[in-house]
Amino acid sequence: MHLWEEVVDKGREAALEPQETKLPETDDCFMICYTSGQGGDPKGVMVTHKMIVQQAGALQVRLGTNKLSESSDTYFSHLSASHILEQSMFAICMIYSIKIGFQSESLNLDLNSNQTESNKQLISDMAILKPTVFASIPKQLRGFFLSI
C-alpha cells in the first residue's frame, strides 16, 4: 500500500526522466475485449492494433473515400461500452476525429421484454443528436422492427 503523496511524487519523478517513445507494432495488443460467451465460455479476446486499423479502413472503403474525413460527422453511441463493435467505433471515431454523442439512458436488449419505450427513447435521442454514423447489432434492429 502506498500513500497518495508517494504516488504523486513517483509520477513527478517519472515525468522528469526522458522517456523513449515506442510506437505500437501491428500485432501489439490494443485492448482485451470481454465476450459474454454466447458461443461458449466467457473470455477476454485480444484485439490488436492491426485489427482496429483494418476496421477503420474497411469502414472508409464501405462508406466511400474521404466520407469520414470531415469533422462534421457525429457517431451515436448506444451499445454497451464493453461491446467489441462499440469499442471499434470509439477507435474509428478517434482516428477520423468524429464527434461522439451518447444515449440518454440504458437500452434494454432483453428480447423477452417490451422494448417499445426503450426504442422510443433511442429514436428521440437520435432526433436530437442527428448522427451521421450509426452502428447497431441484429438484436437491436429486431427491437426496432418489433416496435414499428
Side-chain angles (χ1 to χ4, degrees), residues 53-71:
V53 170
Q54 286 175 327
Q55 288 174 337
L59 183 63
Q60 184 78 358
V61 168
R62 180 75 173 122
L63 295 178
T65 307
N66 297 324
K67 293 284 187 196
L68 295 176
S69 61
E70 300 174 15
S71 62

Side-chain angles (χ1 to χ4, degrees), residues 118-128 144 147:
S118 183
N119 287 332
K120 283 181 183 175
Q121 184 60 51
L122 183 69
I123 291 166
S124 173
D125 289 347
M126 290 175 71
I128 293 167
F144 283 146
S147 65

Side-chain angles (χ1 to χ4, degrees), residues 84-132:
I84 183 60
L85 178 58
E86 193 70 359
Q87 286 292 323
S88 299
M89 290 306 299
F90 284 160
I92 288 165
C93 288
M94 288 182 212
I95 290 169
Y96 292 112
S97 299
I98 297 172
K99 296 182 293 282
I100 302 174
F102 296 90
Q103 70 186 40
S104 61
E105 61 183 54
S106 295
L107 285 178
N108 183 357
L109 294 178
D110 179 3
L111 290 179
N112 297 320
S113 70
N114 180 353
Q115 295 185 346
T116 304
E117 290 305 314
S118 183
N119 287 332
K120 283 181 183 175
Q121 184 60 51
L122 183 69
I123 291 166
S124 173
D125 289 347
M126 290 175 71
I128 293 167
L129 186 62
K130 296 177 180 37
T132 56

Side-chain angles (χ1 to χ4, degrees), residues 40-65:
D41 292 332
K43 58 192 142 298
V45 176
M46 187 174 87
V47 178
T48 65
H49 286 270
K50 180 180 180 179
M51 291 174 185
I52 294 294
V53 170
Q54 286 175 327
Q55 288 174 337
L59 183 63
Q60 184 78 358
V61 168
R62 180 75 173 122
L63 295 178
T65 307

Side-chain angles (χ1 to χ4, degrees), residues 68-88:
L68 295 176
S69 61
E70 300 174 15
S71 62
S72 62
D73 282 309
T74 302
Y75 172 64
F76 181 55
S77 173
H78 59 94
L79 297 172
S80 166
S82 63
H83 196 286
I84 183 60
L85 178 58
E86 193 70 359
Q87 286 292 323
S88 299

